[in-house]
Amino acid sequence: MGVEYRQTPDILSAEDPEQRRARLEEHRARLREAFGPFRHTCQVATVHALSAEARRACDRVFAASKTVYMALGDIAEGVTDASAFHSALDVYWNAVDELGEAVRLEEP
């Protein structure tokens, strides 16, 4: 998901509202395609996590990704501005960092 999220600022920089909306909808379609493998990876990581903290961290990554996706929909619809994406993305990357730390702290 992060690979797709890195492409988002360029899409959000489109000045023409209709062009930005169309590009965001295409982008969201790619995110939906990537979501299946992402969800599967989160489920596998949760099943194999040794600690409750790692399971919770994985759940936070999953939830944060959904928030980013929903924010992009709101931006495409003109309900909110691009700052919603950046705020949601910060939460996503923090959750990814927390997951990495939780996994590193697990006993082998």
Side-chain angles (χ1 to χ4, degrees):
M1 299 306 287
V3 171
E4 288 293 332
Y5 295 153
R6 286 184 177 98
Q7 297 174 22
T8 309
D10 182 53
I11 295 167
L12 293 175
S13 69
E15 291 189 25
D16 178 79
E18 286 305 313
Q19 181 187 32
R20 182 176 49 247
R21 180 185 169 119
R23 290 182 67 196
L24 276 171
E25 289 305 323
E26 291 171 5
H27 186 52
R28 291 181 79 220
R30 287 191 306 275
L31 287 170
R32 282 190 300 275
E33 289 175 19
F35 188 75
F38 171 75
R39 180 181 58 214
H40 177 75
T41 300
C42 286
Q43 290 169 334
V44 169
T46 299
V47 167
H48 291 284
L50 300 176
S51 68
E53 181 54 36
R55 287 188 295 277
R56 285 190 297 270
C58 193
D59 290 344
R60 285 190 295 271
V61 170
F62 187 79
S65 184
K66 179 181 176 185
T67 301
V68 172
Y69 180 80
M70 299 305 287
L72 290 173
D74 288 345
I75 294 166
E77 295 297 321
V79 174
T80 189
D81 63 21
S83 66
F85 165 75
H86 298 292
S87 296
L89 190 63
D90 285 344
V91 172
Y92 172 81
W93 286 123
N94 286 335
V96 169
D97 288 344
E98 290 172 10
L99 175 59
E101 184 63 25
V103 169
R104 282 190 294 279
L105 293 174
E106 287 195 330
E107 295 179 22

